[in-house]
Amino acid sequence: MNQTEPQPPADSSDASVGRVILLTTSHRVAPGLLSWPAWQALHAADEVLCADATHPQLPYLREAGVRVDQAAPTAQELVEACAGGRTVLVVATAEGDRALTDGLARLAGTGRVAMPDLELLPASYDLPGARLLDLVQVMDRIRAECPWSSQQTHKGLAKYAIEEAYELVEAIEDGDRAELREELGDVLLQVVFHARIAQDAPGDSDDDDEADDAPFSIDDVAAGIVEKLIHRHPHVFGDDSAQTPEDVRAHWLRTKAEEKRRTSLTEGIPLGQPSLALAAKLASRVRTASLEVPLPPGEGVGYELLTLALRAESEGVDPEAALRAAARAYRDAILTAEAR
């Protein structure tokens, strides 16, 4: 049997082997918004291929005068298409054309094929926060197609928001960064879920105020907090200055007071929060306002706890976190006793 002698690989500097350009785009960036190097490569290529006939970039490429042929060549076919120094540009699909790139890697690894120059050219990039768009899209689909999610209301989900907030606090106190990342995602889900519900229909309240019941979206939520942050940071976005954290807090409290125009220090404090946190919040408002408020007369554990909570707040200690830490120590003591 005659055996073909292996041929040495071609010199990569040989222009005759041609060039393959894999053009990637982000679906989070509007179609047609491509980098200048990408447009140059598209117009200069001898052939432009795309396996997906519905690729969102195709109408814009063709409008710009770029001929795109629908084709899904194998790695070997692509290498052969580059013979004679041709440049073939492949517009990557959303899945990334893994079979093609793996095939090219295998061919190159054999050392027996004259490989064209290979270039990965990102045509559009994700900006920070781009994956949030994916979350919004996924939530839209779940809300529309999931039998459970499509029936949820603000009131029905309220308990989950509380649970996820506590799990986030636990991850922070444990110092577990992997858990912290996951719990932040769970809290973010609650925000996006509630905003998606609000986009569908009025709220769950019995308030007859139509303005309060008007639908809103996650964009409205984001716009509101952006406006609030800019307004409350005049030392960052305006002409004011702040050199210390105390200066920043003073700015924040002043602008917040102007916005809320409250008639009482107690306005805006949710009474349903944990009791130690509630006591500390009330004490913080009183201290900030330099208001003299005597402790209410009374006896019993409740008033003793109130006194301790106010003392903790005055000393800069979060009474809720302090008691939680002590309770964990007690939990460990229980486990130790059980193990005896």
Side-chain angles (χ1 to χ4, degrees):
M1 180 185 301
N2 293 328
Q3 294 183 343
T4 303
E5 291 293 330
Q7 298 297 316
D11 184 351
S12 60
S13 63
D14 184 358
S16 65
V17 297
R19 182 183 179 203
V20 171
I21 301 175
L22 182 63
L23 190 79
T24 62
T25 58
S26 170
H27 68 277
R28 304 175 194 96
V29 177
L33 296 179
L34 308 180
S35 66
W36 178 240
W39 283 116
Q40 287 181 309
L42 284 162
H43 285 290
D46 296 293
E47 190 173 7
V48 178
L49 307 176
C50 182
D52 182 6
T54 63
H55 197 295
Q57 298 288 350
L58 297 188
Y60 300 91
L61 300 185
R62 289 167 178 152
E63 184 178 349
V66 177
R67 175 179 173 177
V68 183
D69 295 321
Q70 183 187 354
T74 64
Q76 182 65 49
E77 291 170 342
L78 189 58
V79 169
E80 293 171 355
C82 294
R86 300 177 75 248
T87 295
V88 179
L89 186 148
V90 178
V91 179
T93 62
E95 290 74 24
D97 299 294
R98 182 67 179 271
L100 178 60
T101 55
D102 286 351
L104 290 170
R106 284 193 296 270
L107 283 179
T110 66
R112 301 177 181 179
V113 178
M115 293 295 294
D117 291 334
L118 304 177
E119 178 183 353
L120 177 64
L121 178 58
S124 57
Y125 301 83
D126 287 343
L127 295 174
R131 293 309 302 269
L132 294 176
L133 299 177
D134 290 346
L135 176 58
V136 172
Q137 291 178 349
V138 169
M139 189 69 251
D140 280 344
R141 183 167 180 180
I142 290 175
R143 178 67 173 171
E145 300 180 18
C146 173
W148 182 84
S149 298
S150 62
Q151 300 300 315
Q152 294 309 302
T153 64
H154 296 301
K155 289 181 179 178
L157 288 179
K159 62 180 180 180
Y160 300 110
I162 296 173
E163 291 174 4
E164 299 299 352
Y166 277 122
E167 289 178 7
L168 172 60
V169 170
E170 184 174 0
I172 293 172
E173 293 179 343
D174 287 343
D176 188 332
R177 290 185 62 81
E179 190 71 13
L180 173 62
R181 175 180 175 178
E182 180 177 348
E183 296 304 335
L184 284 170
D186 290 342
V187 171
L188 179 59
L189 170 60
Q190 295 302 309
V191 175
V192 175
F193 204 161
H194 279 282
R196 186 61 183 82
I197 293 172
Q199 183 177 335
D200 285 335
D204 301 333
S205 69
D206 296 328
D207 191 348
D208 293 331
D209 188 339
E210 294 184 1
D212 289 343
D213 274 353
F216 59 84
S217 70
I218 188 64
D219 288 319
D220 298 313
V221 173
I225 192 61
V226 166
E227 182 179 352
K228 180 184 292 185
L229 287 173
I230 292 175
H231 182 62
R232 293 187 183 177
H233 289 78
H235 54 289
V236 176
F237 301 99
D239 298 329
D240 287 356
S241 62
Q243 304 300 323
T244 66
E246 290 72 23
D247 292 340
V248 174
R249 178 172 172 77
H251 278 309
W252 182 276
L253 292 175
R254 184 170 62 252
T255 54
K256 186 174 182 179
E258 292 172 355
E259 292 171 4
K260 301 298 184 180
R261 298 189 181 280
R262 292 177 173 136
T263 59
S264 169
L265 296 175
T266 64
E267 289 183 19
I269 298 180
L271 299 180
Q273 63 182 301
S275 55
L276 288 177
L278 171 61
K281 185 65 176 179
L282 289 167
S284 174
R285 289 276 183 91
V286 168
R287 180 172 51 81
T288 301
S290 299
L291 183 66
E292 293 292 334
V293 180
L295 285 174
E299 296 181 356
V301 174
Y303 288 91
E304 293 173 7
L305 289 174
L306 174 62
T307 301
L308 287 174
L310 299 188
R311 192 188 94 189
E313 197 284 329
S314 69
E315 296 175 357
V317 175
D318 179 353
E320 194 73 34
L323 179 57
R324 196 161 46 245
R328 288 189 177 198
Y330 184 48
R331 185 267 319 266
D332 294 340
I334 294 172
L335 294 175
T336 300
E338 289 176 334
R340 291 173 185 164

